[in-house]
Amino acid sequence: MVKRWWAALPGAVAMGFVGGSVAVSGLLSPADLFTAQAVRYAVACALLVGFARLAGQRLVRPRGTEWAWLLGVAVAGLVVFNVALVHGAGHAEPAVLGVAVACVPVALAVGGAALERRRPAPSLLAAGVVVTCGAVLVQGLGRADAVGTGWALVVLAGEAGFTLLAVPVLGRHGPWGVSAWSTGVACGVFAVLGLAVEGPAAVGGLGLRDLLAAAYLAVAVTAVAFVLWYSTVTRLGAGRAGLLTGIAPVAAAGTGVLLGGAVPAAPVWAGVALVAAGLVLGLTRGDGVPPEPRRAAAPEGGERRGVPASG
């Protein structure tokens, strides 16, 4: 049981980074979306490749259908997700989009079980519902029109796809490989969109504040958080790891207080307690535990590469 909590720690830290980055993400809103994101993911990919070499993690070139899965991770979890957030903000209050993300624990509990060809564990589903309810209380509710509701559903699908579409390739590529390849693909997609929609001059239009915000997001919320998150998914499975997404709104609320915001009201504290209760329920119950993660298959030549040094 203690081992499971230790396995959850990297994912919890990753969600802390994500929640704490809300204020920084807002700084990029005036910038050209596609160009700014292309810069962000280019920096993140370069850092991941460099960090992988320093950590002794040799990246393996994808082959066959692996490209399709990695493209899915990049398009759904990075490109579509970010586009949906921006366009959804014009039709829905931020809380609505936050509630969509808060539904991810349930989506991953169901989707993770489907990938493993089994029924969702009752305790895991219950824990996902508890965490979601807690996250909604922390995030709050908001108003949206029909278009905004549609974008919120796209946000939910993109966030779930970021994890679920990575599961089939984590075995061979590990957290480092999936993170590096998906950010590289996302950079290419955003670059093409930026050139087509915003023009090549858009790069020169990025100010110092835009570049600093993109750099922070590239380092903490992308390069570091991606590896931490996929490490936890590898150890715990998508469904159980998904419970940790409830930490993001809690971290966002805590960051707001540290930056001089008002002390949260009673419903927020109740939401924090529910998130904690859901995590305890999901991480302590033993039913529906996925098998130990499979090590990457040895590539041709007998050498095992791209395998995270995790247990």
Side-chain angles (χ1 to χ4, degrees):
M1 199 63 63
V2 174
K3 182 179 180 181
R4 189 181 296 166
W5 282 98
W6 276 110
L9 182 60
V13 174
M15 288 300 109
F17 279 131
V18 171
S21 70
V22 172
V24 178
S25 298
L27 297 177
L28 276 180
S29 57
D32 289 318
L33 170 64
F34 300 136
T35 301
Q37 294 294 336
V39 171
R40 168 189 175 180
Y41 287 112
V43 173
C45 183
L47 288 173
L48 283 164
V49 172
F51 290 162
R53 290 181 177 177
L54 290 175
Q57 300 289 334
R58 188 174 180 181
L59 303 180
V60 182
R61 181 182 296 276
R63 59 191 181 193
T65 57
E66 291 176 348
W67 282 111
W69 290 110
L70 291 168
L71 180 63
V73 172
V75 172
L78 306 182
V79 178
V80 172
F81 177 80
N82 282 290
V83 171
L85 281 180
V86 172
H87 289 285
H91 298 271
E93 294 180 353
V96 176
L97 302 176
V99 168
V101 176
C103 294
V104 168
V106 177
L108 293 185
V110 175
L115 285 174
E116 297 166 5
R117 298 182 179 181
R118 59 176 177 80
R119 292 182 178 180
S123 67
L124 202 56
L125 272 179
V129 171
V130 172
V131 169
T132 294
C133 291
V136 169
L137 281 176
V138 173
Q139 183 72 46
L141 299 174
R143 294 173 296 178
D145 57 22
V147 175
T149 302
W151 280 119
L153 293 175
V154 174
V155 167
L156 171 60
E159 182 71 3
F162 173 72
T163 297
L164 294 176
L165 295 173
V167 171
V169 289
L170 273 172
R172 179 167 182 261
H173 293 276
W176 288 96
V178 172
S179 300
W181 286 109
S182 61
T183 53
V185 172
C187 171
V189 174
F190 273 122
V192 171
L193 292 173
L195 290 173
V197 177
E198 299 161 352
V203 176
L206 297 176
L208 178 60
R209 186 181 67 172
D210 302 325
L211 294 175
L212 290 176
Y216 174 81
L217 293 174
V219 177
V221 187
T222 308
V224 174
F226 280 22
V227 173
L228 293 175
W229 176 250
Y230 285 135
S231 296
T232 292
V233 173
T234 300
R235 293 173 171 88
L236 295 182
R240 208 178 294 279
L243 299 174
L244 299 170
T245 59
I247 294 175
V250 175
T255 302
V257 174
L258 293 176
L259 294 178
V263 176
V268 176
W269 290 109
V272 173
L274 278 177
V275 169
L279 290 174
V280 171
L281 173 61
L283 293 176
T284 56
R285 291 296 298 271
D287 57 333
V289 179
E292 287 294 318
R294 292 179 298 175
R295 294 293 187 181
E300 294 181 6
E303 180 187 3
R304 178 177 290 177
R305 299 176 291 180
V307 183
S310 62

